[in-house]
Amino acid sequence: MSRYAHPAGSRHAEVLPEDNPPLPPEDLNALDPRVWPATARREDGELTVGGVGVRSLAAEYGTPLFVMDEEDFRSRARAYSTAFTDADVYYAGKALLTKAVARWVVEEGLKLDVCSGGELAVALAAGVPTERIGMHGNNKSVAELRRAVEVGVGRIIVDSLDEIERLEGVAREAGARPKVLIRVTTGVEAHTHEFVATAHDDQKFGFALSTGAAAEAVRRVLGTDHLELVGLHSHIGSQIFDTSGFEVAARRVTRFLTRIHEELDVTLAELDLGGGLGIAYTSVDTPLDPQTIAESLTEIVRRECEEAGLPTPRVAVEPGRAIAGPAGITVYEVGTVKDVEGIRTYVSVDGGMSDNIRTALYGAEYTGQLVSRESGAAPMLSRLVGKHCESGDIIVHDLYLPADLRPGDLVAVAATGAYCYSMASNYNHLPRPAMVAVRDENARVIVRRENEEDLLRLDVG
């Protein structure tokens, strides 16, 4: 049986016999618009994104190379902003955060969610208005909290009783009164990989509703002198393809709002339902559109509050992958093509798990294509692998590439805009790739490629 499973959605836990690989696509050169960036095209056989060809990008900026379709990113951000009227949309910076990305987010009318001092530093360097920032994290340090309070971060999402005490001390010291939300775990387990399911009780995030921990957290914050409790936060997981889990979670959190009102005579004005909406990594994935998501979530909150006689809180959501993921691709150069007779062909490229750890970490599935030229050759069952000293250094487990593939060809993997650069490493001392933004036939570097000097800078010997 397969040693890996799809990380989320309707195909969760699906296993297939190893001797029954997927069928090849009808056309190895066709670009599925659900998977590839909005401006991706084939022109004279070559893939172009934002009107710029991958051959020229690779020649100028090298490979591996992260390529971000700026218009695709911006249009997805606008779609969420339009769908969630009278609500707050926080872009989840952990998916992908650079100064350029932070500016795109603000320019398209979104707020920004950060979850560390480093992400906050990027946001500040990009000029993001601090009142538009929300700060997450299950173990925020005193230094992180102090800076968040000093710069005036708009919302701090508290995650433990220790943090409530810590933040109260920081706020007292600063003479401030930050606005906080309490992160609650609803007991709703998203149908996703166990490492990205975050609302069941047995995990590190938040306060459980079922144990009374959430109620105690509310009482603790209300009992402080320097914290202003404005709402609740809930997040059920990542890479989710339907809203049923969100609906159950929203219902439970809304009923908790009612309980707070009845028992403590406190009406909370905000309800953040988190993020986690999935994207199409392959042609079989079927993500929901922002309008459908917005209508479903806001209606259930409105209905539950109406039945309880409560004013409807201002809803917030936190899309990250859903905005950044489809906008990005990674371009690699093929180094070796090794046929394992009777099994598959291993295609090794010049990157791997240092620029995309998700396949090794989650068993994530991707798709890719030969992009430097078109080919009419027969499909060849391939495994796209990296150059690291790990047998698990796999980028795409099962991928059909043309049988005439050769060293020097360029292969691109789609939907790598989220959680690839942000989780990149220097394993085997590989420099992290550059990232370029493409738009209107222009390309510009938004993150430069690391070099040997960068690798050695912190090594004081």
Side-chain angles (χ1 to χ4, degrees):
M1 301 295 286
S2 174
R3 294 184 297 275
Y4 59 94
H6 192 273
S10 59
R11 298 175 64 207
H12 173 60
E14 176 183 288
V15 290
L16 298 172
E18 289 283 6
D19 59 356
N20 186 23
L23 295 174
E26 293 183 5
D27 184 354
L28 290 178
N29 302 299
L31 300 170
D32 186 338
R34 293 173 297 177
V35 177
W36 293 85
T39 67
R41 304 285 187 273
R42 287 265 186 192
E43 298 183 14
D44 297 325
E46 177 189 14
L47 176 70
T48 65
V49 181
V52 184
V54 293
R55 290 199 301 263
S56 63
L57 289 172
E60 183 169 357
Y61 304 111
T63 56
L65 182 65
F66 291 116
V67 179
M68 290 298 297
D69 183 342
E70 182 178 345
E71 185 52 44
D72 185 295
F73 185 105
R74 287 178 176 272
S75 67
R76 293 177 191 276
R78 288 194 297 272
Y80 271 94
S81 180
T82 301
F84 283 90
T85 56
D86 299 320
D88 292 317
V89 180
Y90 286 83
Y91 169 71
K94 64 180 181 176
L96 173 67
L97 188 60
T98 71
K99 290 188 290 186
V101 166
R103 293 187 189 108
W104 299 346
V105 167
V106 173
E107 288 167 6
E108 297 303 336
L110 274 56
K111 296 184 176 182
L112 177 64
D113 164 49
V114 301
C115 58
S116 72
E119 289 184 357
L120 177 59
V122 174
L124 296 176
V128 177
T130 55
E131 68 274 11
R132 299 181 66 81
I133 299 174
M135 189 168 190
H136 275 282
N138 70 297
N139 187 26
K140 305 178 195 70
S141 68
V142 171
E144 288 173 323
L145 291 173
R146 185 173 289 128
R147 191 174 195 194
V149 170
E150 287 175 351
V151 301
V153 161
R155 299 292 184 273
I156 298 176
I157 296 86
V158 296
D159 202 273
S160 68
L161 296 179
D162 289 331
E163 183 184 347
I164 293 171
E165 181 179 348
R166 191 178 300 156
L167 181 57
E168 167 69 1
V170 167
R172 183 188 304 111
E173 179 184 273
R177 196 163 186 258
K179 291 180 170 62
V180 304
L181 284 78
I182 292 173
R183 179 164 179 169
V184 301
T185 52
T186 59
V188 178
E189 186 167 357
H191 294 291
T192 186
H193 193 287
E194 65 173 308
F195 292 170
V196 291
T198 59
H200 54 285
D201 291 341
D202 186 14
Q203 47 88 32
K204 70 179 186 177
F205 293 108
F207 300 91
L209 286 175
S210 62
T211 65
E216 175 62 19
V218 170
R219 287 190 290 268
R220 291 283 187 97
V221 174
L222 291 175
T224 65
D225 295 324
H226 297 86
L227 304 182
E228 180 182 355
L229 180 61
V230 296
L232 302 177
H233 181 280
S234 170
H235 182 69
I236 65 171
S238 297
Q239 185 59 359
I240 300 165
F241 287 111
D242 65 72
T243 61
S244 59
F246 287 99
E247 290 171 0
V248 175
R251 186 176 294 112
R252 292 182 182 179
V253 176
T254 305
R255 289 175 181 172
F256 185 49
L257 286 174
T258 304
R259 179 182 162 195
I260 294 169
H261 176 75
E262 292 174 347
E263 296 182 5
L264 301 173
D265 194 27
V266 173
T267 301
L268 299 181
E270 299 181 17
L271 177 57
D272 190 328
L273 296 173
L277 276 301
I279 65 170
Y281 284 104
T282 70
S283 295
V284 301
D285 293 328
T286 54
L288 296 172
D289 66 277
Q291 191 63 45
T292 299
I293 297 163
E295 291 172 358
S296 175
L297 296 186
T298 55
E299 171 58 22
I300 193 147
V301 173
R302 185 201 62 77
R303 187 170 64 247
E304 288 289 328
C305 289
E306 187 177 89
E307 291 176 1
L310 287 178
T312 302
R314 185 174 180 85
V315 170
V317 291
E318 299 169 356
R321 180 201 319 263
I323 294 174
I329 67 170
T330 308
V331 180
Y332 301 98
E333 182 177 319
V334 174
T336 65
V337 181
K338 183 184 297 184
D339 181 52
V340 180
E341 189 173 354
I343 301 178
R344 63 169 55 81
T345 298
Y346 280 79
V347 176
S348 298
V349 296
D350 53 355
M353 64 193 303
S354 59
D355 59 74
N356 188 348
I357 191 65
R358 294 186 68 256
T359 307
L361 187 61
Y362 302 139
E365 292 184 8
Y366 285 91
T367 192
Q369 287 187 5
L370 170 65
V371 293
S372 50
R373 60 184 174 89
E374 265 186 346
S375 172
M380 171 179 68
L381 181 61
S382 307
R383 178 158 289 176
L384 192 69
V385 298
K387 62 180 294 176
H388 298 281
C389 295
E390 298 283 346
S391 58
D393 179 23
I394 298 169
I395 304 169
V396 186
H397 278 275
D398 293 308
L399 176 66
Y400 281 96
L401 292 168
D404 64 351
L405 191 77
R406 54 185 181 263
D409 280 333
L410 299 179
V411 171
V413 175
T416 60
Y419 299 107
C420 288
Y421 175 77
S422 65
M423 299 175 77
S425 74
N426 293 125
Y427 183 50
N428 287 155
H429 273 59
L430 260 67
R432 282 176 293 186
M435 182 181 297
V436 298
V438 290
R439 191 184 193 193
D440 298 332
E441 300 184 359
N442 292 304
R444 64 187 180 97
V445 175
I446 57 176
V447 180
R448 71 165 175 83
R449 184 177 303 280
E450 288 183 332
N451 54 37
E452 288 186 1
E453 182 180 346
D454 295 316
L455 294 177
L456 294 170
R457 180 171 289 122
L458 300 181
D459 190 340
V460 297

